[in-house]
Amino acid sequence: MTLHQSIAAASVEGVAIGAAPQSLFAIHETDCAAAIWQRAPLTAFQDWIGALPVDQLPRARTILRPNAVRHVMSDLCDGQDLTPSIERDMLIDDVAALAEIFARVMQAPFVRLRLGVITTNACRKFHLDSMTARLICTYRGTGTQYGLSSSQADPTADPRHVHTAPTGCPIMLRGSLWPVEMAQTLLHRSPPIEGTGEARFVIVLDPVSDLNAARDEDLLH
């Protein structure tokens, strides 16, 4: 099952955009700071996830093999009393597929999976993650915001032009531990939504190659 359809997007310097999952492999290309799989959630799915009570949205933070994500997602949905439906299957299938794709892109045997609901200004400052790369997909609410640092002398300077990853579009971002430095730094943030009543539902995937370096409470499979 699929929860998306293709949509068009304007190009942004340093950001590769494509309409297929293979687009995420562009993160390995020279001078590519981020890659976006450009797609739009189907209306039925968006209506379903947008109507769910916030306390029913699944939450998790764990490390597991990519091929275990589907089973774990199913258990999480059961634990939240999400009624079996086509849309629920779409969510499970999509998270599992993103984990598999991300693991292949990063050649990672394990992934750290985080599912969370954001209603505050968490991570509202533009920043660069302290890791090789990270995948973020916002299934509900405003997507991740990103832009080039406004100063080459100060890579942490806020961007002059801010772009937003559309809802349902996975964005893969290089972090500070990526082995090749960029001429300019692409920063990102969680959009400031505190006080608006908005509830974002976000999946975050990080590569994990060494389980011995992971915290015991993160381990599941």
Side-chain angles (χ1 to χ4, degrees), residues 106-173:
M106 295 303 296
Q107 298 183 346
F110 299 91
V111 295
R112 176 179 284 107
L113 168 68
R114 284 191 287 147
L115 281 171
V117 177
I118 302 172
T119 58
T120 65
N121 288 345
C123 298
R124 64 181 177 82
K125 294 184 177 181
F126 280 100
H127 64 281
L128 188 66
D129 294 319
S130 181
M131 60 181 55
T132 51
R134 166 170 285 171
L135 183 145
I136 305 171
C137 184
T138 304
Y139 287 108
R140 168 172 161 172
T142 307
T144 298
Q145 295 182 326
Y146 60 93
L148 291 170
S149 169
S150 57
S151 171
Q152 290 188 342
D154 179 10
T156 64
D158 285 354
R160 291 192 181 91
H161 304 288
V162 177
H163 307 274
T164 302
T167 303
C169 291
I171 179 171
M172 191 167 171
L173 298 138

Side-chain angles (χ1 to χ4, degrees), residues 8-128:
S11 60
V12 179
E13 183 181 357
V15 179
I17 299 174
Q22 292 78 12
S23 306
L24 297 176
F25 283 87
I27 197 73
H28 293 290
E29 295 178 1
T30 304
D31 294 331
C32 178
I36 297 176
W37 177 6
Q38 188 72 56
R39 59 187 194 166
L42 297 179
T43 301
F45 175 82
Q46 202 60 47
D47 289 346
W48 172 79
I49 201 164
L52 286 176
V54 171
D55 60 3
Q56 264 199 292
L57 293 167
R59 295 161 171 82
R61 180 186 176 93
T62 187
I63 293 174
L64 65 170
R65 293 186 183 277
N67 61 10
V69 172
R70 186 182 307 277
H71 175 72
V72 170
M73 280 297 301
S74 182
D75 285 348
L76 289 170
C77 289
D78 286 343
Q80 294 298 95
D81 294 325
L82 290 181
T83 303
S85 66
I86 293 174
E87 290 76 25
R88 179 184 129 143
D89 289 343
M90 287 179 176
L91 175 63
I92 293 171
D93 290 347
D94 199 66
V95 174
L98 288 183
E100 294 276 5
I101 295 167
F102 179 72
R104 289 201 301 271
V105 173
M106 295 303 296
Q107 298 183 346
F110 299 91
V111 295
R112 176 179 284 107
L113 168 68
R114 284 191 287 147
L115 281 171
V117 177
I118 302 172
T119 58
T120 65
N121 288 345
C123 298
R124 64 181 177 82
K125 294 184 177 181
F126 280 100
H127 64 281
L128 188 66

